Amino acid sequence: MLKIGIIGIPGKWSTETLADAIESRTGYRRIIDMAEVELDLAGKRLLHGDTDLCSLDGLIIKKISASYSPNTLDRLELLRVAEHAGVRIFSRPLNILRLVDRLSCTVTLRNADIPMPETRVTENAAAAMSTVRKFGSAVFKPLYSTKARGMCVIDAALSDSDMQTQIQAFQAENPMMYIQKKVALPGRDLGMVFLAGKYLGTYARVSQSDTWNTTIHSGGRYENHLPPDDIIELARRAQAPFEMDFTTVDVAETDAGPIVFEVSAFGGFRGAKEGIGIDAAGLYSEHVIREISAK
């Protein structure tokens, strides 16, 4: 019997769905909350309760923490101990590390010549104000966040004093400011799903209000979408440098052509299921089992 643990959040739908899929195929079930894991460096053990994760056949990282933060990077470093001990981890911690930090993801995408919204990154408040004036309207994004949490839009129509107040409020929580030009979207953006680099399908997140983003967290809904081949190829190129076992690429169609917002560190099971009708947890589980069994 293969022993494959799920790194995730107990009780959350995507974590439990993946654990169900693994259990139905192996008979083994273990959900691991990284907040409960202890590293014993001298003993070279990574303990979750009475189980040494270094003794498992594999680990699947579905969710490393409820929200992204530098602490997320520390949790990924702990998992490198299990990987060094020979445990197969999906996706590899080093690959996920490059995606959890929005700046690291952006630099990799731009180095690969992937089209993205015009972006400035700075710790200088005066430079941030100048950027807002240049962009007309700018989205300020934390370097560690999911589902648009912590993001805000600052508009060039504000007075200097009001703009300065909003920028200072953002920078109080985010010393390094990541600023993107707000682009006009057609009321939707796309989640393009990949398993081990193979394209599975696309769901659209469709806005149900006049909010500036389309996330489900902000009231959007999922729909099936059939993008043209050139957008599929763009998404394929975007995810390729990260070598993820499972991921989604966030793409938007604009008047100037398609752009990529980001590549996901963990991928969206619910969007794949509700938008496309794909059992991503089942397909992912079968991929993991094949890879472990083949070694």
Side-chain angles (χ1 to χ4, degrees), residues 13 193 202-204 222-223 268-278:
W13 180 85
V193 185
T202 296
Y203 57 86
Y222 296 117
E223 289 183 356
F269 282 4
R270 191 179 292 275
K273 184 176 181 62
E274 296 182 7
I276 318 172
I278 290 177

Side-chain angles (χ1 to χ4, degrees), residues 66-287:
S67 59
Y68 293 1
S69 72
N71 183 51
T72 302
L73 308 183
D74 297 333
R75 291 180 172 188
L76 288 165
E77 289 293 344
L78 294 184
L79 291 174
R80 291 179 59 208
V81 175
E83 186 175 42
H84 182 73
V87 180
R88 290 290 303 274
I89 301 183
F90 305 83
S91 295
R92 294 190 62 204
L94 278 175
N95 295 347
I96 294 176
L97 277 165
R98 298 165 64 208
L99 288 172
V100 168
D101 181 340
R102 190 183 307 279
L103 182 54
S104 176
C105 177
T106 296
V107 168
T108 301
L109 289 172
R110 288 304 298 135
N111 284 347
D113 293 323
I114 301 299
M116 300 185 71
E118 191 171 351
T119 304
R120 300 288 179 88
V121 183
T122 184
E123 295 180 66
N124 186 299
M129 288 185 68
S130 177
T131 294
V132 174
R133 298 289 186 216
K134 179 180 185 297
F135 287 175
S137 186
V139 183
F140 283 62
K141 299 182 176 183
L143 294 184
Y144 302 94
S145 72
T146 59
K147 304 185 187 304
R149 294 185 179 95
M151 298 183 187
C152 68
V153 176
I154 300 180
D155 197 272
L158 292 171
S159 67
D160 285 350
S161 61
D162 286 345
M163 186 186 300
Q164 185 176 42
T165 297
Q166 291 194 21
I167 289 174
Q168 287 175 342
F170 180 83
Q171 193 173 28
E173 300 294 329
N174 307 277
M176 182 69 77
M177 293 177 286
Y178 182 104
I179 310 165
Q180 279 189 335
K181 184 175 183 179
K182 185 172 179 285
V183 296
L185 301 178
R188 71 181 181 209
D189 67 353
L190 310 179
M192 306 185 71
V193 185
F194 290 83
L195 176 64
K198 179 183 177 182
Y199 172 68
L200 297 184
T202 296
Y203 57 86
R205 286 175 291 252
V206 182
S207 177
Q208 298 298 290
S209 65
D210 59 0
T211 183
W212 62 271
N213 73 77
T214 61
T215 64
I216 304 307
H217 179 70
S218 298
R221 60 181 171 83
Y222 296 117
E223 289 183 356
N224 191 16
H225 185 76
L226 299 175
D229 290 344
D230 64 320
I231 294 183
I232 295 173
E233 176 58 18
L234 171 63
R236 187 199 63 76
R237 289 198 298 113
Q239 59 83 41
F242 300 99
E243 299 181 334
M244 297 291 287
D245 287 288
F246 182 81
T247 189
T248 54
V249 182
D250 289 349
V251 178
E253 301 159 300
T254 74
D255 291 341
I259 55 174
V260 172
F261 284 119
E262 65 180 11
V263 178
S264 172
F266 306 106
F269 282 4
R270 191 179 292 275
K273 184 176 181 62
E274 296 182 7
I276 318 172
I278 290 177
D279 177 15
L283 293 173
Y284 194 9
S285 296
E286 289 163 7
H287 163 73

